[in-house]
């Protein structure tokens, strides 16, 4: 039955010239029908060079909007219209524009890609977790306001001591909720395992890790490492994906709470309904918004 739906999706997407992009946090059955899977940075880079006329994004809203910004001539759908990222909504465009005017006049504003398109229109450059350190180092400006994730921002600030980085109080509610105690408990339970964490976690957690990096960085580290056991400090779908990719290694979740409900919303049925014209949401952005917001995404690709 599952195989039947997957085969049908693969047949229809070819017939209709559709490219399915899926973030690595999606479920295995979706990754299997996708044309390309990866972390936020890889998905953005991929979205610049797609020849198909339609893109279906399996992930959250800002990812579909990023694909539309980079491929404005394509029809882009978000497979499940309810899948948002709570962090992306934390600061409004007006609030940041006002901060730029009042408090941080001469600062460059670096926005984590997990932001709304509207907010991107008043920022200078976007970053993803895998590209943030490199991009900030490559920027000519010394004074930087990093929004919205204060944990990723603090991680970047630690790696870029030459910069003056100011932070706001935003962040990923899923990663930031994990405590040092949970990390220590996981380490005590699996003393032989290496701890790999996402920099969206608090410093009290990343400082206990053997490695910190984006989703793709974590997966690549685990795949190429000689170690045999790993505690995964990011969304728990990655524990399962890695276990399937590396059957001779063992993967454990750092916490049972590392679950992004938004990323879990998209189902294989949503993908089927979207490509058959019975679901999903087409991403519509005005030309003016695209023109203003795409600048900081292009800058990210140029500097990253
Ligand atoms: P990356 O895909 O950049 O690792 O980010 C993880 C995440 O939280 C996506 O929303
Ligand atoms: Fe947003 Fe966090 Fe979910 Fe990523 S894991 S989509 S940052 S809430």
């Amino acid at each position: 039955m599952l195989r039947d739906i997957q085969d049908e999706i693969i047949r229809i997407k070819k017939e209709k010239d559709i490219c399915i992009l899926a973030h690595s946090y999606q479920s295995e059955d979706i990754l299997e029908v996708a044309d390309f899977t990866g972390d936020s940075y890889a998905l953005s880079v991929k979205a610049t060079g797609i020849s198909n006329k339609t893109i279906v994004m399996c992930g959250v809203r800002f990812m579909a909007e990023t694909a539309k910004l980079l491929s404005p001539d394509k029809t882009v759908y978000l497979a499940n219209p309810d899948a948002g990222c709570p962090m992306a909504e934390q600061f409004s465009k007006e609030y940041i524009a006002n901060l730029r005017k009042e408090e941080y006049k001469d600062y460059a504003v670096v926005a984590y890609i997990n932001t709304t398109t509207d907010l991107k229109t008043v920022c200078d450059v976007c970053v993803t977790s895998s590209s943030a350190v490199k991009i900030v180092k490559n920027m000519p400006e010394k004074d930087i306001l990093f929004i919205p994730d204060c944990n990723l921002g603090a991680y970047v600030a630690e790696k870029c001591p030459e910069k003056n980085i100011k932070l706001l109080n935003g962040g990923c509610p899923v990663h930031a909720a994990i405590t040092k105690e949970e990390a220590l408990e996981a380490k005590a339970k699996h003393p032989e395992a290496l701890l790999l964490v996402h920099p969206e976690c608090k410093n009290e957690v990343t400082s206990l890790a053997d490695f910190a990096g984006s989703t793709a960085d974590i997966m690549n580290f685990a795949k190429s490492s000689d170690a045999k056991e790993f505690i995964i400090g990011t969304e728990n779908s990655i524990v399962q994906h890695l276990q399937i990719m590396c059957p001779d290694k063992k993967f454990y979740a750092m916490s049972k709470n590392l679950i992004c409900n938004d990323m879990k919303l998209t189902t294989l049925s949503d993908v089927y309904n979207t490509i058959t014209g019975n679901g999903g949401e087409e991403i519509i952005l005005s030309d003016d918004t695209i023109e203003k917001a795409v600048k900081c995404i292009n800058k990210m690709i140029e500097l990253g």
Side-chain angles (χ1 to χ4, degrees), residues 2 34 39 49 66 70 77 82 91 102 114 122 141 145 164 181 185 194 200 213 223 228 231 234 239 253 285 293 296:
L2 170 68
D39 66 359
T66 303
L70 289 165
Y77 289 97
D82 293 328
F91 300 110
E102 306 286 332
N114 302 33
V122 295
E141 296 90 348
L145 174 63
N164 170 33
E181 286 69 31
E185 201 181 308
L194 296 182
E200 287 174 7
K223 281 190 268 181
K228 291 284 173 213
I231 301 163
T234 192
V239 179
L285 300 171
C296 58

PDB file of all heavy atoms in Angstrom, residues 2 34 39 49 66 70 77 82 91 102 114 122 141 145 164 181 185 194 200 213 223 228 231 234 239 253 285 293 296:
ATOM      1  N   LEU A   2       1.840   1.334   0.960  1.00  0.00           N
ATOM      2  CA  LEU A   2       2.759   2.484   1.020  1.00  0.00           C
ATOM      3  C   LEU A   2       3.528   2.587  -0.295  1.00  0.00           C
ATOM      4  O   LEU A   2       3.632   3.648  -0.902  1.00  0.00           O
ATOM      5  CB  LEU A   2       3.719   2.329   2.212  1.00  0.00           C
ATOM      6  CG  LEU A   2       4.886   3.317   2.256  1.00  0.00           C
ATOM      7  CD1 LEU A   2       4.393   4.728   2.524  1.00  0.00           C
ATOM      8  CD2 LEU A   2       5.899   2.917   3.319  1.00  0.00           C
ATOM      9  N   ALA A  34      11.485  11.918  -2.679  1.00  0.00           N
ATOM     10  CA  ALA A  34      12.012  13.255  -2.980  1.00  0.00           C
ATOM     11  C   ALA A  34      13.108  13.180  -4.043  1.00  0.00           C
ATOM     12  O   ALA A  34      13.808  12.176  -4.168  1.00  0.00           O
ATOM     13  CB  ALA A  34      12.563  13.892  -1.709  1.00  0.00           C
ATOM     14  N   ASP A  39      19.765  19.726   4.313  1.00  0.00           N
ATOM     15  CA  ASP A  39      19.480  20.717   5.360  1.00  0.00           C
ATOM     16  C   ASP A  39      19.082  22.040   4.695  1.00  0.00           C
ATOM     17  O   ASP A  39      19.012  22.136   3.456  1.00  0.00           O
ATOM     18  CB  ASP A  39      20.650  20.859   6.347  1.00  0.00           C
ATOM     19  CG  ASP A  39      21.910  21.442   5.730  1.00  0.00           C
ATOM     20  OD1 ASP A  39      21.926  21.743   4.514  1.00  0.00           O
ATOM     21  OD2 ASP A  39      22.898  21.612   6.469  1.00  0.00           O
ATOM     22  N   GLY A  49      18.889  26.025  -8.957  1.00  0.00           N
ATOM     23  CA  GLY A  49      19.215  25.400 -10.243  1.00  0.00           C
ATOM     24  C   GLY A  49      18.220  24.351 -10.695  1.00  0.00           C
ATOM     25  O   GLY A  49      18.596  23.386 -11.350  1.00  0.00           O
ATOM     26  N   THR A  66      11.722  30.433   0.621  1.00  0.00           N
ATOM     27  CA  THR A  66      13.101  30.589   0.126  1.00  0.00           C
ATOM     28  C   THR A  66      13.216  30.020  -1.287  1.00  0.00           C
ATOM     29  O   THR A  66      13.837  30.629  -2.166  1.00  0.00           O
ATOM     30  CB  THR A  66      14.104  29.881   1.076  1.00  0.00           C
ATOM     31  OG1 THR A  66      13.945  30.429   2.380  1.00  0.00           O
ATOM     32  CG2 THR A  66      15.538  30.067   0.629  1.00  0.00           C
ATOM     33  N   LEU A  70      14.218  32.125  -4.716  1.00  0.00           N
ATOM     34  CA  LEU A  70      15.343  31.759  -5.577  1.00  0.00           C
ATOM     35  C   LEU A  70      14.900  31.278  -6.959  1.00  0.00           C
ATOM     36  O   LEU A  70      15.693  31.277  -7.898  1.00  0.00           O
ATOM     37  CB  LEU A  70      16.195  30.687  -4.888  1.00  0.00           C
ATOM     38  CG  LEU A  70      16.986  31.229  -3.692  1.00  0.00           C
ATOM     39  CD1 LEU A  70      17.502  30.097  -2.828  1.00  0.00           C
ATOM     40  CD2 LEU A  70      18.132  32.110  -4.162  1.00  0.00           C
ATOM     41  N   TYR A  77       5.009  24.985  -4.206  1.00  0.00           N
ATOM     42  CA  TYR A  77       3.990  24.606  -3.221  1.00  0.00           C
ATOM     43  C   TYR A  77       4.639  24.199  -1.901  1.00  0.00           C
ATOM     44  O   TYR A  77       5.699  23.567  -1.904  1.00  0.00           O
ATOM     45  CB  TYR A  77       3.186  23.393  -3.705  1.00  0.00           C
ATOM     46  CG  TYR A  77       2.259  23.681  -4.855  1.00  0.00           C
ATOM     47  CD1 TYR A  77       2.654  23.416  -6.162  1.00  0.00           C
ATOM     48  CD2 TYR A  77       0.990  24.206  -4.630  1.00  0.00           C
ATOM     49  CE1 TYR A  77       1.805  23.675  -7.232  1.00  0.00           C
ATOM     50  CE2 TYR A  77       0.135  24.474  -5.699  1.00  0.00           C
ATOM     51  CZ  TYR A  77       0.546  24.205  -6.990  1.00  0.00           C
ATOM     52  OH  TYR A  77      -0.288  24.466  -8.037  1.00  0.00           O
ATOM     53  N   ASP A  82       0.035  24.142   7.010  1.00  0.00           N
ATOM     54  CA  ASP A  82       0.107  24.456   8.442  1.00  0.00           C
ATOM     55  C   ASP A  82       1.530  24.344   8.999  1.00  0.00           C
ATOM     56  O   ASP A  82       1.773  24.672  10.164  1.00  0.00           O
ATOM     57  CB  ASP A  82      -0.798  23.511   9.247  1.00  0.00           C
ATOM     58  CG  ASP A  82      -2.263  23.758   8.935  1.00  0.00           C
ATOM     59  OD1 ASP A  82      -2.610  24.917   8.639  1.00  0.00           O
ATOM     60  OD2 ASP A  82      -3.043  22.782   8.960  1.00  0.00           O
ATOM     61  N   PHE A  91      10.118  37.715  15.528  1.00  0.00           N
ATOM     62  CA  PHE A  91      10.297  39.176  15.432  1.00  0.00           C
ATOM     63  C   PHE A  91       9.688  39.691  14.138  1.00  0.00           C
ATOM     64  O   PHE A  91       9.882  39.089  13.081  1.00  0.00           O
ATOM     65  CB  PHE A  91      11.780  39.557  15.485  1.00  0.00           C
ATOM     66  CG  PHE A  91      12.452  39.127  16.764  1.00  0.00           C
ATOM     67  CD1 PHE A  91      13.377  38.098  16.757  1.00  0.00           C
ATOM     68  CD2 PHE A  91      12.142  39.735  17.971  1.00  0.00           C
ATOM     69  CE1 PHE A  91      13.977  37.672  17.937  1.00  0.00           C
ATOM     70  CE2 PHE A  91      12.735  39.319  19.148  1.00  0.00           C
ATOM     71  CZ  PHE A  91      13.650  38.288  19.136  1.00  0.00           C
ATOM     72  N   GLU A 102      17.003  52.898  15.604  1.00  0.00           N
ATOM     73  CA  GLU A 102      17.205  53.488  16.926  1.00  0.00           C
ATOM     74  C   GLU A 102      18.483  53.002  17.617  1.00  0.00           C
ATOM     75  O   GLU A 102      19.332  53.780  18.014  1.00  0.00           O
ATOM     76  CB  GLU A 102      16.009  53.150  17.841  1.00  0.00           C
ATOM     77  CG  GLU A 102      14.652  53.524  17.260  1.00  0.00           C
ATOM     78  CD  GLU A 102      14.408  55.018  17.284  1.00  0.00           C
ATOM     79  OE1 GLU A 102      14.968  55.685  18.165  1.00  0.00           O
ATOM     80  OE2 GLU A 102      13.669  55.501  16.390  1.00  0.00           O
ATOM     81  N   ASN A 114      15.762  30.847   9.049  1.00  0.00           N
ATOM     82  CA  ASN A 114      14.471  30.534   9.691  1.00  0.00           C
ATOM     83  C   ASN A 114      13.772  31.830  10.104  1.00  0.00           C
ATOM     84  O   ASN A 114      13.561  32.111  11.281  1.00  0.00           O
ATOM     85  CB  ASN A 114      14.684  29.669  10.947  1.00  0.00           C
ATOM     86  CG  ASN A 114      15.402  28.368  10.678  1.00  0.00           C
ATOM     87  OD1 ASN A 114      16.260  28.301   9.805  1.00  0.00           O
ATOM     88  ND2 ASN A 114      15.049  27.336  11.411  1.00  0.00           N
ATOM     89  N   VAL A 122      14.238  43.453   5.475  1.00  0.00           N
ATOM     90  CA  VAL A 122      14.962  44.513   6.193  1.00  0.00           C
ATOM     91  C   VAL A 122      16.297  44.006   6.766  1.00  0.00           C
ATOM     92  O   VAL A 122      16.881  44.621   7.660  1.00  0.00           O
ATOM     93  CB  VAL A 122      14.095  45.144   7.323  1.00  0.00           C
ATOM     94  CG1 VAL A 122      12.899  45.870   6.742  1.00  0.00           C
ATOM     95  CG2 VAL A 122      13.666  44.100   8.358  1.00  0.00           C
ATOM     96  N   GLU A 141      31.774  43.862   7.702  1.00  0.00           N
ATOM     97  CA  GLU A 141      31.358  44.599   8.912  1.00  0.00           C
ATOM     98  C   GLU A 141      31.813  43.894  10.188  1.00  0.00           C
ATOM     99  O   GLU A 141      31.813  42.674  10.272  1.00  0.00           O
ATOM    100  CB  GLU A 141      29.824  44.739   8.962  1.00  0.00           C
ATOM    101  CG  GLU A 141      29.231  45.561   7.839  1.00  0.00           C
ATOM    102  CD  GLU A 141      28.862  44.714   6.619  1.00  0.00           C
ATOM    103  OE1 GLU A 141      29.270  43.537   6.561  1.00  0.00           O
ATOM    104  OE2 GLU A 141      28.200  45.247   5.725  1.00  0.00           O
ATOM    105  N   LEU A 145      24.223  42.578  14.227  1.00  0.00           N
ATOM    106  CA  LEU A 145      23.055  42.175  15.013  1.00  0.00           C
ATOM    107  C   LEU A 145      22.584  40.854  14.415  1.00  0.00           C
ATOM    108  O   LEU A 145      22.230  40.789  13.236  1.00  0.00           O
ATOM    109  CB  LEU A 145      21.950  43.238  14.915  1.00  0.00           C
ATOM    110  CG  LEU A 145      20.616  42.867  15.581  1.00  0.00           C
ATOM    111  CD1 LEU A 145      20.780  42.671  17.086  1.00  0.00           C
ATOM    112  CD2 LEU A 145      19.555  43.924  15.293  1.00  0.00           C
ATOM    113  N   ASN A 164      31.882  42.003  16.730  1.00  0.00           N
ATOM    114  CA  ASN A 164      31.063  42.476  17.853  1.00  0.00           C
ATOM    115  C   ASN A 164      29.619  42.071  17.549  1.00  0.00           C
ATOM    116  O   ASN A 164      28.940  42.745  16.775  1.00  0.00           O
ATOM    117  CB  ASN A 164      31.217  43.998  17.962  1.00  0.00           C
ATOM    118  CG  ASN A 164      30.235  44.594  18.938  1.00  0.00           C
ATOM    119  OD1 ASN A 164      29.875  43.969  19.947  1.00  0.00           O
ATOM    120  ND2 ASN A 164      29.768  45.805  18.647  1.00  0.00           N
ATOM    121  N   GLU A 181      21.110  18.809  32.013  1.00  0.00           N
ATOM    122  CA  GLU A 181      20.835  17.569  32.750  1.00  0.00           C
ATOM    123  C   GLU A 181      20.447  16.436  31.786  1.00  0.00           C
ATOM    124  O   GLU A 181      20.899  15.293  31.935  1.00  0.00           O
ATOM    125  CB  GLU A 181      19.704  17.771  33.776  1.00  0.00           C
ATOM    126  CG  GLU A 181      20.094  18.577  35.009  1.00  0.00           C
ATOM    127  CD  GLU A 181      20.362  20.056  34.715  1.00  0.00           C
ATOM    128  OE1 GLU A 181      19.739  20.617  33.780  1.00  0.00           O
ATOM    129  OE2 GLU A 181      21.236  20.642  35.401  1.00  0.00           O
ATOM    130  N   GLU A 185      22.519  13.078  31.273  1.00  0.00           N
ATOM    131  CA  GLU A 185      21.841  11.787  31.482  1.00  0.00           C
ATOM    132  C   GLU A 185      22.070  10.871  30.276  1.00  0.00           C
ATOM    133  O   GLU A 185      22.373   9.687  30.425  1.00  0.00           O
ATOM    134  CB  GLU A 185      20.344  12.053  31.654  1.00  0.00           C
ATOM    135  CG  GLU A 185      19.594  10.924  32.353  1.00  0.00           C
ATOM    136  CD  GLU A 185      18.106  11.250  32.455  1.00  0.00           C
ATOM    137  OE1 GLU A 185      17.766  12.352  32.941  1.00  0.00           O
ATOM    138  OE2 GLU A 185      17.305  10.419  32.008  1.00  0.00           O
ATOM    139  N   LEU A 194      29.593   9.230  21.155  1.00  0.00           N
ATOM    140  CA  LEU A 194      29.946  10.636  20.948  1.00  0.00           C
ATOM    141  C   LEU A 194      28.653  11.448  20.928  1.00  0.00           C
ATOM    142  O   LEU A 194      27.643  10.997  20.381  1.00  0.00           O
ATOM    143  CB  LEU A 194      30.671  10.828  19.618  1.00  0.00           C
ATOM    144  CG  LEU A 194      32.034  10.149  19.446  1.00  0.00           C
ATOM    145  CD1 LEU A 194      32.624  10.502  18.065  1.00  0.00           C
ATOM    146  CD2 LEU A 194      33.001  10.590  20.543  1.00  0.00           C
ATOM    147  N   GLU A 200      21.548  25.159  17.561  1.00  0.00           N
ATOM    148  CA  GLU A 200      20.332  25.797  18.083  1.00  0.00           C
ATOM    149  C   GLU A 200      20.121  25.432  19.554  1.00  0.00           C
ATOM    150  O   GLU A 200      19.261  26.001  20.232  1.00  0.00           O
ATOM    151  CB  GLU A 200      19.101  25.368  17.267  1.00  0.00           C
ATOM    152  CG  GLU A 200      19.017  25.991  15.887  1.00  0.00           C
ATOM    153  CD  GLU A 200      17.870  25.449  15.051  1.00  0.00           C
ATOM    154  OE1 GLU A 200      17.039  24.688  15.555  1.00  0.00           O
ATOM    155  OE2 GLU A 200      17.815  25.788  13.848  1.00  0.00           O
ATOM    156  N   GLY A 213      27.089  21.063  14.930  1.00  0.00           N
ATOM    157  CA  GLY A 213      26.963  21.449  13.524  1.00  0.00           C
ATOM    158  C   GLY A 213      25.537  21.294  13.039  1.00  0.00           C
ATOM    159  O   GLY A 213      24.667  20.793  13.756  1.00  0.00           O
ATOM    160  N   LYS A 223      28.500   9.597   9.740  1.00  0.00           N
ATOM    161  CA  LYS A 223      28.757   8.626   8.667  1.00  0.00           C
ATOM    162  C   LYS A 223      30.254   8.369   8.498  1.00  0.00           C
ATOM    163  O   LYS A 223      30.686   7.252   8.292  1.00  0.00           O
ATOM    164  CB  LYS A 223      28.152   9.131   7.347  1.00  0.00           C
ATOM    165  CG  LYS A 223      26.637   8.903   7.275  1.00  0.00           C
ATOM    166  CD  LYS A 223      26.092   9.178   5.888  1.00  0.00           C
ATOM    167  CE  LYS A 223      25.641  10.598   5.746  1.00  0.00           C
ATOM    168  NZ  LYS A 223      25.075  10.939   4.453  1.00  0.00           N
ATOM    169  N   LYS A 228      31.502   4.116  16.918  1.00  0.00           N
ATOM    170  CA  LYS A 228      30.393   3.188  16.611  1.00  0.00           C
ATOM    171  C   LYS A 228      29.074   3.608  17.249  1.00  0.00           C
ATOM    172  O   LYS A 228      28.010   3.084  16.918  1.00  0.00           O
ATOM    173  CB  LYS A 228      30.758   1.768  17.097  1.00  0.00           C
ATOM    174  CG  LYS A 228      31.870   1.118  16.293  1.00  0.00           C
ATOM    175  CD  LYS A 228      31.336   0.641  14.929  1.00  0.00           C
ATOM    176  CE  LYS A 228      32.431   0.130  14.016  1.00  0.00           C
ATOM    177  NZ  LYS A 228      32.179   0.373  12.615  1.00  0.00           N
ATOM    178  N   ILE A 231      25.166   9.874  20.271  1.00  0.00           N
ATOM    179  CA  ILE A 231      23.946  10.471  20.826  1.00  0.00           C
ATOM    180  C   ILE A 231      23.646  11.666  19.922  1.00  0.00           C
ATOM    181  O   ILE A 231      24.514  12.514  19.695  1.00  0.00           O
ATOM    182  CB  ILE A 231      24.167  10.952  22.272  1.00  0.00           C
ATOM    183  CG1 ILE A 231      24.589   9.779  23.162  1.00  0.00           C
ATOM    184  CG2 ILE A 231      22.897  11.620  22.815  1.00  0.00           C
ATOM    185  CD1 ILE A 231      25.220  10.226  24.475  1.00  0.00           C
ATOM    186  N   THR A 234      19.758  16.558  17.914  1.00  0.00           N
ATOM    187  CA  THR A 234      18.906  17.379  17.037  1.00  0.00           C
ATOM    188  C   THR A 234      17.623  16.601  16.808  1.00  0.00           C
ATOM    189  O   THR A 234      17.417  15.543  17.415  1.00  0.00           O
ATOM    190  CB  THR A 234      19.633  17.772  15.727  1.00  0.00           C
ATOM    191  OG1 THR A 234      18.866  18.785  15.075  1.00  0.00           O
ATOM    192  CG2 THR A 234      19.825  16.602  14.777  1.00  0.00           C
ATOM    193  N   VAL A 239      17.910  10.524  14.094  1.00  0.00           N
ATOM    194  CA  VAL A 239      18.357   9.267  14.734  1.00  0.00           C
ATOM    195  C   VAL A 239      17.951   8.099  13.830  1.00  0.00           C
ATOM    196  O   VAL A 239      18.764   7.220  13.512  1.00  0.00           O
ATOM    197  CB  VAL A 239      17.702   9.101  16.135  1.00  0.00           C
ATOM    198  CG1 VAL A 239      18.140   7.785  16.783  1.00  0.00           C
ATOM    199  CG2 VAL A 239      18.025  10.289  17.035  1.00  0.00           C
ATOM    200  N   ALA A 253      18.779   8.986  20.824  1.00  0.00           N
ATOM    201  CA  ALA A 253      18.275  10.358  20.931  1.00  0.00           C
ATOM    202  C   ALA A 253      18.807  10.985  22.218  1.00  0.00           C
ATOM    203  O   ALA A 253      18.826  10.333  23.261  1.00  0.00           O
ATOM    204  CB  ALA A 253      16.755  10.354  20.941  1.00  0.00           C
ATOM    205  N   LEU A 285       4.294  35.507  -3.650  1.00  0.00           N
ATOM    206  CA  LEU A 285       5.001  36.654  -3.068  1.00  0.00           C
ATOM    207  C   LEU A 285       4.981  37.784  -4.097  1.00  0.00           C
ATOM    208  O   LEU A 285       5.133  37.523  -5.299  1.00  0.00           O
ATOM    209  CB  LEU A 285       6.458  36.280  -2.735  1.00  0.00           C
ATOM    210  CG  LEU A 285       6.678  35.138  -1.731  1.00  0.00           C
ATOM    211  CD1 LEU A 285       8.158  34.753  -1.692  1.00  0.00           C
ATOM    212  CD2 LEU A 285       6.211  35.531  -0.335  1.00  0.00           C
ATOM    213  N   ALA A 293      13.719  40.812  -0.574  1.00  0.00           N
ATOM    214  CA  ALA A 293      14.125  39.696   0.298  1.00  0.00           C
ATOM    215  C   ALA A 293      15.204  38.816  -0.326  1.00  0.00           C
ATOM    216  O   ALA A 293      16.020  38.239   0.398  1.00  0.00           O
ATOM    217  CB  ALA A 293      12.901  38.858   0.656  1.00  0.00           C
ATOM    218  N   CYS A 296      19.278  39.246   0.492  1.00  0.00           N
ATOM    219  CA  CYS A 296      20.064  38.641   1.580  1.00  0.00           C
ATOM    220  C   CYS A 296      20.237  37.125   1.397  1.00  0.00           C
ATOM    221  O   CYS A 296      21.180  36.554   1.933  1.00  0.00           O
ATOM    222  CB  CYS A 296      19.542  39.018   2.965  1.00  0.00           C
ATOM    223  SG  CYS A 296      17.883  38.623   3.315  1.00  0.00           S
TER     224      CYS A 296
END
